[in-house]
Amino acid sequence: MSSTYDAIVIGGGVIGCSIAYQLSKKQKKVLLLEKGRVGEKASSAAAGMLGAQMEFGVDHPLFPLAKRSRQMFGALSQELYAVSGVDIELIENGIYELSYTDAESDQLQKRAAREAFYGESVGWLSSEEVLEREPALSSDIKGAVYFPSDGQVSPIKLTKAFLEGSRFYGTEVREYTEVMRLAQNGDQVTGVETNTETILAQQVILAGGVWSSSILPPLGMVPVKGECLSFTTSGPLLTGTIKYKNVYVVPKPNNRLVIGATSIPHTFDEKVTCAGMIELMERARQMVPGIEEAAFEKAWTGIRPQTKEGRPYIGHHPQIEGLLVAAGHFRNGILLSPITGTMMADQIEREVLLNEA
Ligand code: FAD
Ligand code: GLY
């Protein structure tokens, strides 16, 4: 048997990498195991929006967590750059949710009023005001609710920055190493069994995204496929992210536009479909007619990890000692990655201190 680690993290997506980063920053001896390449699954498919208000809103039980996580990005981007040399491309230009009918405007205005009542930064903009800020939008727009504090990052660079930051603090990373099952002594986890060996650890953190159910079937993760595509333009078309119904257009550095995303539950299929591309492109053209001139770059899919309850599992397993779970972040794993990493690392540190007392 190999050496003993303080913690083994199963899964090298944005969630596993964030946890490994925070744990190794606390001087824990960490091993991160990834069955393929780090970051190649849902975490590299994301658009990278930090939509605490756009995706959740003040009435959602996860809003306080999402808002705290969004607030962490400013300091985190500098901290990660210092230790990893990776710029996560944090852009704080807000998100517009658009309306094309009076009924939609009415609904969005009520939503803006509710956010404002709770002191959140939000604004209702008339069609003239939206078009003044974003002249590339189609002129039949009725208005938009604007969330200035919602931003975006590069999800691929964020995962890479957490990974390199973890290595900087001493995390050992093994790619192409699949965890087949937990190693247990009764109700106590003692480590993991990989395809080649048993590795011992004080704590095991399951962060395998939608595949977490292979290790722990009762989690019952639901796969929700999402398709995206990207275009480039000769000059900037948008400053902020725009969204209408289920489709968003996110302006990235170097005049790239990311358009997402379809939402197809109960499938692990990773094909990019013609139907998906048509849906996204038609909706994007409705919002930004000039996108017709943009040059196609690429298209891709990812599988979002959804839980039956619709909320991520973040914390101790109720029956298995030494096992923690961080999975099921569904549409918001990029946004929630900073807070998930610190929550998990803090819990583990508290437990070690209690055991030593
Ligand atoms: P993953 O990134 O899937 O990582 C899990 C990793 O665990 C994988 O690499 C897998 O290989 C590994 N693994 C699994 N089982 C094992 C095992 N037994 N042994 C070893 N390794 C294992 N979120 C946002 O916040 N903003 C967005 O704008 C956004 N847009 C999205 C757009 C699309 C199209 C999609 C699909 C998702 C989007 N998301 C967004 C959601 C976000 O991508 C996910 O919530 C997040 O990436 C989940 O991260 P994860 O680390 O849990 O999972
Ligand atoms: N959060 C955007 C998506 O999952 O498509």
Side-chain angles (χ1 to χ4, degrees), residues 64-65 90 104 107 151 200 223 289 305-306 339:
L65 205 67
L90 172 66
E104 285 166 3
Q107 213 177 7
L200 302 179
Q306 189 180 25
I339 196 89

Side-chain angles (χ1 to χ4, degrees), residues 7-9 15-16 18-20 22-23 26 28 203-207 313-317 322-327 329 336-352:
I8 290 175
V9 179
I15 298 299
S18 172
I19 296 167
Q22 295 297 345
L23 275 172
K26 288 181 186 291
K28 300 283 170 254
Q203 313 270 347
V204 173
I205 299 110
L206 178 54
Y313 302 128
I314 307 175
H316 282 277
H317 188 278
L323 176 66
L324 294 97
V325 180
H329 292 70
L336 294 171
S337 59
I339 196 89
T340 304
T342 53
M343 278 170 65
M344 297 297 276
D346 288 348
Q347 277 194 33
I348 289 175
E349 186 175 56
R350 250 194 323 270
E351 192 159 307
V352 170

